[in-house]
Amino acid sequence: MTDPGPDSSAPRRAVLPRSSPKLVTGLALITAIILFGVTGPLFAGDPDAINDIGLTPPGGGHVLGTTQMGQDVLAQIAYATRGSLYIGVLVGVMATVLSALFGIVGSYAGGVVDEAFSLFSNVMLVIPGLPLVIVISAFVPPEQRGAWTIAVVLAITGWAGSARVLRAQTLTLRNREYVLAARVAGEPAWRIITVEILPNLLPLLASQFVFSVIAAILSEAGLSFLGLGASNSSTLGTMLYYAQNGFALQRGAWWWFAPPGLIIALFGCGLALINFSIDEITNPKLRAVPRRIRRPRREPAPVGRPSQDVVVSVRNLSVTYGNTVRAVKDVSLEVRRGEILGLAGESGSGKTTLAYAINRLHRPPAEVTAGSVTFHHRDGGDTDMLALPSGELRAFRWSQMSVVFQGAMNSLNPVMTIRAQLEDVLTTHRPQLSRSDRRARCARALELVGVDPARLRSYPHELSGGMRQRVMIAMAMLLDPQVMIMDEPTSALDVVVQRGILREILRLRDELGFGIVLITHDLPLLLEVSDRIAVMLGGEIVECAAAEEILARPRHPYTRRLLESFPSLTGERGAFVRTGEATGGAR
Amino acid sequence: MRYYLRKFGFYLAALWAAVTLNFFIPRMMPGDPVSILMAKLQQRGGSVNPEARRAYELLLGTDTGEPLTKQYLSYLGNMLHGDFGISVSAYPVPVSEVIATSLPWTVVLVGIATVLSVLVGAGLGMVVGWRRGTWLDSLVPATTVLAAVPYFWLALVLVAVFGSALGWFPLIGGYDVDFTPGWNLDFLGSAVHHGILPALTIVISSVGGWLLGLRNMMVSTLSEDYVLTATAKGLPNRRVMIWYAARNAALPSIAGFAISLGFVVAGSIVTEQVFSYPGIGSKLLEAVQNNDYALMQGIFLVTTVAVLGANLVVDLLYGVIDPRTRAGGNA
């Protein structure tokens, strides 16, 4: 129950040995408490032996002191821990079986059964558990209230949460290929559930079991503390009940009431720590990433303006991920005013990392280790991007250089309207604008990219993919920046929409005159639209030349290989975007 | 619109389930609660008129030979009128009156404690998630320890330290009996003074869950494209953190509110017992100890209605916060 299970996937098993201090602490706590509960009663004396040294503080013959009746607290705790663990495991098993029944079977069956099971679980979930348990146990006469009765009541009131989690997971599993294949092959449902689905749910079942155990121990303790626990059984809760009724607190007998609670707390904490480490293993995002704050080595100082039409100069830039992977190696590059600079290369070649580093959008563990990025303003004056303090960097971003991101489907905040997301650019960068001016500018920006300004009131999920991408482009142009970085701006869209948007970008570039860094793996597209193309391979720019030059006389072998992999390039289809004849005016 | 209708329908179903459970539990359990109740009542010198006896029979079930469906319908009728019978432990006060005097204590205590815990927990979780990789990360395991501590034990420790040892706060009760309950400063001041330790217990025990939930979601949300976009837009850090990251990260926590509230309600019942707080939790236990089944069932129902109501409010709020849930109606 402490292990994610023998059926956990291979990569997880490979990660598990890299144990964190949290996991070790958690495992040690749990092991110690279970050992204590299982073996403790064998060594401890009679927990109920009464003698006349009531309420002795710890020390001497009684390591943890005595109760009001002179019983040895340590012996009582040993038996109580065993009792609590027993009930916890009983409830854990029953609740897990119930939740599996309602969660897995229901969602596998689907249809009315699923609806009914799911409604039932949700109803059980919102009805407050402990009051229900109290009412049920109050109706059972004390002499019939054994550990099993309590366990059954706790299981009945405690399975619903896990059932919901299991249902969600089963729903995703039942549509996997291997499950569908087994169905097509005509395997019976019980076999598909036990052979194909259950093994994949084991890690989840294990963690739900762990949660039911700790919840049961806590609830049982609460119930016993209220005097409603299992009669003639000793648990940590009953100990606390007697301590409370023996006025342990008022008499300052901390050794009587503190240890039972502490054991429950440490047990819960141990399970939480283990669960925490399992979470971190399955979801690497949650792992702690140390923030490195290191100034880049500035060997090449920021450069002066090479010529009037250069807007960004990148010199010998290197970006590494956590000291080991050099994603961008010693890259030098210039972006000119009003040009489209294509950045080509396969995925992992460092295109995106390079583009982000220009605007300092790279995140730890990525860091710039060498080089310089200089921005040359339209009206004179240069900015050393890597030295810009954070406040000025924020002011610079978007107003001089905006970005349209890869997979723009998710670039818009799902819980804010389009208007709010456009307007917050203006409220941040142009605070002097009046409300009506802001609105007018946002509406105009949308019109510019061919989106109905009525869409300002919409939320992102109400727009199609192409429309969202147009909104992003409108947003990128809102402040009339000098450079726009576009990272695969159209690759998630279908071809017709893609071409329509690219035509729009070209038109706007001609109209407004911003420079574009266009990142894509789609070389034919770059050859059509860009003025110059830089080809990246393994973090380096292997070739940078005018688009026609690249097409006619590629110098680097990798460029040639890239060109050869697109057979259609030998034909005469290059006019596709610029004339738009094949798209028939489709947007 | 369909979203709201579905929610209302669901809570109606849950309410019906709770009322029905309440009807069947005493009938399925061993023992004859009505006779116990009658005996108790006579002990206290209460006269048993046929009308009162009938109300108890409907509530608790006894072998009167009447068909179950008829009993059930009459029972539903009584529930609709708020007629839960007469309390034995507070004879001859009706159950509804006992509940009416104790409910406000619990609602105010649990309400304020929950709101505080959500604000503090979610706020801390937001900052800890945002500043991941700094010393703040060490807060996370610390709060899981707090979350694992049993409510009543924490209450006992708090009483021992701040009540007995330091004498800063009163040990038990909801207000100083020297003052008359009402809208006067003395009484309110003493109620607040008495409420601090119970509220602190609830806040400390439940704050960890909110912190952890929001922190983990925050970390996941920070790698979303829209957060990167917001950073690239040059928005102030606070705006990115609250409006782009936290607003999205909070959605699962809000959706899981029902479960958290269940824990808080359970914890507050036990906490009230430790503090002898004059709320509904203490009354429930008093009812249990005195075999006051009518009061017990009334309290269970009222608690359920309150919890369902709170969940409904949160669900309606969720519809406002996440526009995607409303989409069903527009499409």
Side-chain angles (χ1 to χ4, degrees), chain B:
Chain B
M1 204 52 221
R2 222 173 60 197
Y3 169 77
Y4 297 112
L5 279 181
R6 245 199 4 250
K7 284 293 166 198
F8 275 116
F10 169 72
Y11 284 107
L12 224 57
L15 183 61
W16 171 79
V19 172
T20 306
L21 263 179
N22 206 21
F23 175 76
F24 279 109
I25 287 171
R27 284 169 172 77
M28 288 187 315
M29 292 296 157
D32 183 5
V34 176
S35 326
I36 300 175
L37 209 65
M38 289 296 140
K40 264 263 165 31
L41 213 57
Q42 262 152 356
Q43 249 174 40
R44 303 207 166 205
S47 60
V48 193
N49 61 29
E51 203 182 320
R53 192 182 167 97
R54 158 97 181 138
Y56 285 135
E57 281 169 1
L58 280 180
L59 198 61
L60 304 170
T62 192
D63 202 9
T64 52
E66 201 178 5
L68 208 59
T69 42
K70 192 149 176 272
Q71 288 182 37
Y72 182 60
L73 288 177
S74 320
Y75 159 82
L76 282 186
N78 277 359
M79 292 298 114
L80 273 181
H81 292 111
D83 181 3
F84 302 120
I86 287 171
S87 161
V88 177
S89 48
Y91 189 82
V93 183
V95 167
S96 46
E97 218 165 283
V98 177
I99 293 177
T101 50
S102 52
L103 189 63
W105 288 97
T106 301
V107 168
V108 171
L109 176 71
V110 173
I112 291 180
T114 304
V115 168
L116 271 182
S117 154
V118 171
L119 288 182
V120 173
L124 280 177
M126 176 178 79
V127 175
V128 172
W130 178 255
R131 305 190 60 92
R132 186 166 66 114
T134 63
W135 63 271
L136 283 170
D137 275 350
S138 54
L139 270 181
V140 175
T143 51
T144 57
V145 180
L146 288 185
V149 173
Y151 271 76
F152 57 91
W153 186 70
L154 181 68
L156 288 174
V157 172
L158 287 180
V159 170
V161 175
F162 295 106
S164 306
L166 296 172
W168 291 354
F169 298 103
L171 298 183
I172 54 165
Y175 60 95
D176 205 323
V177 285
D178 293 345
F179 307 118
T180 38
W183 292 108
N184 56 72
L185 270 184
D186 285 341
F187 167 72
L188 290 179
S190 120
V192 168
H193 194 208
H194 280 75
I196 288 177
L197 280 187
L200 199 63
T201 307
I202 297 174
V203 171
I204 291 179
S205 304
S206 56
V207 81
W210 291 100
L211 191 152
L212 192 66
L214 204 73
R215 183 258 175 193
N216 283 357
M217 274 317 292
M218 197 72 182
V219 169
S220 302
T221 310
L222 284 182
S223 59
E224 292 287 345
D225 288 337
Y226 50 77
V227 176
L228 187 62
T229 308
T231 314
K233 276 155 85 174
L235 301 182
N237 280 338
R238 274 177 65 95
R239 186 159 176 89
V240 181
M241 176 173 80
I242 296 172
W243 287 86
Y244 285 78
R247 256 196 82 174
N248 285 287
L251 294 177
S253 291
I254 299 172
F257 180 81
I259 304 171
S260 325
L261 188 66
F263 280 114
V264 173
V265 168
S268 76
I269 290 178
V270 191
T271 306
E272 283 186 14
Q273 169 72 359
V274 173
F275 291 97
S276 304
Y277 202 74
I280 208 150
S282 303
K283 277 279 176 289
L284 176 58
L285 294 167
E286 216 178 285
V288 167
Q289 276 147 16
N290 292 309
N291 292 329
D292 189 350
Y293 298 112
L295 181 58
M296 205 167 78
Q297 295 215 302
I299 289 179
F300 168 66
L301 272 188
V302 168
T303 315
T304 306
V305 169
V307 168
L308 293 184
N311 279 321
L312 178 62
V313 169
V314 170
D315 270 345
L316 296 183
L317 215 67
Y318 188 87
V320 175
I321 295 171
D322 187 353
R324 282 164 298 185
T325 50
R326 280 170 283 164
N330 306 337

